Structure formats: C-alpha cells, structure tokens
Amino acid sequence: MRTLHGWERTSFVLLHVYVLGVCGVVLGAFTVQFLGKEIPCPLCILQRMAMLLAAVGPMFIINRSSIHGSDSKSDLSTGFGMSILAALVGLFISGRQVLLHIIPGDPGYGGTVFGFHLYTWAFTVFSTILLASGITLVMSRYMTISTHVGRPRVASRLTAWVLGLVIAANAISVFFESGTTWFLPDDPTNYELIEEFNEFRRHRAAERLRHVSEGQLNLGTDDRLGFIDPEDSEVSVDQPVDSRTP
Amino acid sequence: MVAASIFILILVTVFMLHRPKPKMALIFFGVSMTCITLLFLHHAIDDLGLSF
C-alpha cells in the first residue's frame, strides 16, 4: 500500500470529512427528532435523502481510489457530479420549505437550532455542498487522489459503515413513521406503525370478546395471546349461550 | 413505505460502490435521485394544482 503525501493526503482526508460531516448533520436531525420529540415532515425526510445521496459521491471517489485504483481524475468528476446533482435536488426541496414558511408571522415547522429552522440549515448545507463540489471540480487539475490498489484503510471502511448505518437508521425511523401506508402524512403527529400495532391489539381483543359473547370461544384453550382475562370479561362462560347479550 | 424504500435504495447504492465496475452504482444513484424527485413532486407540488 502506497503512502500518501501532501495535497494528495489532504484531499483524501477531506473526502472522509465530507461524508462524515453530512452524516453528522443527519445525526443532528435525529437528535432533534428523538430528544426534542419532533416528528419530521415529508419534506424534512426528502432533505435527509438528498443529503445522504450527496454523500454517496465522495464515498464513490474514496472507494474507487482506495479499492480499485482506477483513474482518479474521471472518478473525481463522477463523484462530485453525483454530489452536485443530489445537492441541487436537496436545494429545491429545502428552498421550497423555506418559502413555505417565509411569510412574516409564520412560526415555521418545528423548533429552531441556533435561531434557524432545520430546513434553513439544510438549505445552507446544500449550498455549501454545491460550492465545495464546484470549487473542487475547478481545482481538479491540481488535485490527485490516491491511486493505489489494495485494502481500504480503516478510516475509509469506518466512514462507509457510518454512512450505511445512518441510512439504515433513517429507513427504520421512516418505516415507523409511515407504518403500512404508502406515503407519509403531511403533518405527522405520531409514529403510525406503533399506532397501527396498538389498533391491531385493540381490534383483536374486541374480536375475541365478541366471540366469547357469542359463545364461539373456549377461553381455556383459545386465548393463547392472553388478551382476555376471564375474570374481567363481562360475559360468563358458564352462562347458557341463549341468555348471553351480544 | 415509499420513503423507507428510497432509503433502502440509497443503501443499496452504497453497497454497489464496492463493485469493480461503477456502472451499477451509477444506475442505482440515478434511480434513487429520480425517486426522490418524484416523491418531492407528489408531496410538494401535485396538491397545489400549479400550471407551468
């Protein structure tokens, strides 16, 4: 494995900082979500997606240069091109949400961090990504990224893992938020999956109570899930079926 | 579920980066970005009934 020197090393380290920085921003949004108990709206989720997709670009360059050792210049262009495209989409989404709440007197969506709402911060992050990617592409003739072939460094593998875990955590969080419905609610107030599970349990308990009242269920053998306590049930199983009220 | 699927698509894109040929990673990147754009259109623009 070749040792990196000078600017080459700095560029390589900066790519890792780029990916980890984006992951840090998304983890910050997670902190607001769970510690601040603020459920993200669909536009917030879309901004997270665009942000993580923008981080795939530098991850592409890191992987190509450290594992496959291909031509670094074309990979540099491809990677930062990916970042620019994703950041452009993110800029549109966050810009749309900023404009949605820009009217004076509008309290905005959710709380603020250092005086700005999260979507305003997202707009700043996407602008920074665009600026950084543009400058890097302009300066690319003076840049060389590592072109060795071999096992990726520990830092590169760690960065890939962090990015993967942040994406997976977002997928799980969003699944809890949307439940089994196709799309997220416009103004979410709770985690739909938990609500649906609770609703399912209530429905099952009501169904079983109804079966008991109709005399179709033997409480001793059929109540395997333990939803029904025979002592709490309003209907006695010893009572004749005809005399039970539905 | 659509949003969760897009996150999984991005995760697959990251996995594809480890392949020797970059083609699949680029395809998955393009599909992910298209899905994000379409979901954005669904949530932000469709309901407004704007005409361009």
Side-chain angles (χ1 to χ4, degrees):
Chain A
M1 192 179 283
R2 195 164 63 86
T3 314
L4 305 179
H5 296 286
W7 181 235
E8 194 180 32
R9 186 183 178 83
T10 310
S11 311
F12 202 59
V13 170
L14 281 177
L15 286 171
H16 290 74
V17 172
Y18 189 142
V19 178
L20 291 175
V22 169
C23 290
V25 171
V26 178
L27 285 176
F30 252 139
T31 311
V32 173
Q33 179 181 344
F34 292 113
L35 295 186
K37 298 196 189 315
E38 283 185 20
I39 299 177
C41 67
L43 290 179
C44 305
I45 297 293
L46 282 162
Q47 285 159 47
R48 287 186 195 182
M49 286 175 189
M51 222 173 263
L52 290 169
L53 202 62
V56 170
M59 200 67 238
F60 173 83
I61 303 170
I62 292 170
N63 266 290
R64 296 294 300 165
S65 58
S66 64
I67 300 175
H68 308 300
S70 56
D71 173 30
S72 63
K73 285 280 191 267
S74 64
D75 288 334
L76 199 77
S77 313
T78 310
F80 281 105
M82 289 159 89
S83 279
I84 287 173
L85 286 175
L88 258 180
V89 172
L91 202 71
F92 268 110
I93 300 167
S94 53
R96 198 269 185 189
Q97 196 169 10
V98 168
L99 292 177
L100 199 66
H101 300 291
I102 206 166
I103 299 168
D106 190 320
Y109 186 88
T112 56
V113 177
F114 300 122
F116 291 111
H117 288 281
L118 289 185
Y119 43 81
T120 313
W121 281 116
F123 190 84
T124 315
V125 169
F126 286 124
S127 308
T128 311
I129 289 175
L130 274 179
L131 198 69
S133 304
I135 290 173
T136 312
L137 283 179
V138 170
M139 301 294 287
S140 63
R141 64 167 54 235
Y142 306 108
M143 287 181 73
T144 347
I145 304 289
S146 157
T147 52
H148 62 263
V149 185
R151 278 168 63 80
R153 287 176 168 75
V154 176
S156 303
R157 275 184 282 166
L158 200 68
T159 307
W161 270 104
V162 170
L163 179 63
L165 285 175
V166 170
I167 297 170
N170 269 287
I172 295 167
S173 156
V174 163
F175 182 56
F176 268 82
E177 196 181 327
S178 68
T180 53
T181 54
W182 286 109
F183 297 104
L184 288 161
D186 282 338
D187 194 7
T189 51
N190 50 28
Y191 291 95
E192 284 294 323
L193 194 68
I194 297 171
E195 284 297 309
E196 284 173 11
F197 181 69
N198 287 338
E199 183 61 34
F200 171 74
R201 285 194 61 172
R202 278 195 293 271
H203 179 73
R204 276 297 288 270
E207 277 287 302
R208 287 185 169 266
L209 274 174
R210 192 171 62 80
H211 286 160
V212 168
S213 68
E214 288 171 0
Q216 295 172 357
L217 186 72
N218 181 347
L219 279 180
T221 57
D222 288 355
D223 185 30
R224 294 188 184 90
L225 291 176
F227 288 137
I228 302 168
D229 185 352
E231 290 178 4
D232 288 347
S233 175
E234 293 174 1
V235 182
S236 168
V237 286
D238 300 328
Q239 205 175 346
V241 174
D242 295 340
S243 65
R244 292 176 193 172
T245 50
Chain B
M1 283 209 292
V2 172
S5 310
I6 295 176
F7 274 116
I8 291 168
L9 211 55
I10 299 172
L11 192 62
V12 174
T13 310
V14 174
F15 281 123
M16 287 296 163
L17 297 178
H18 292 272
R19 290 185 136 212
K21 300 263 181 194
K23 193 177 170 186
M24 286 307 285
L26 293 178
I27 289 172
F28 271 93
F29 174 84
V31 173
S32 305
M33 214 179 63
T34 310
C35 289
I36 293 174
T37 311
L38 290 175
L39 192 62
F40 170 58
L41 293 177
H42 169 79
H43 279 297
I45 293 180
D46 283 0
D47 293 343
L48 298 177
L50 299 176
S51 54
F52 293 98

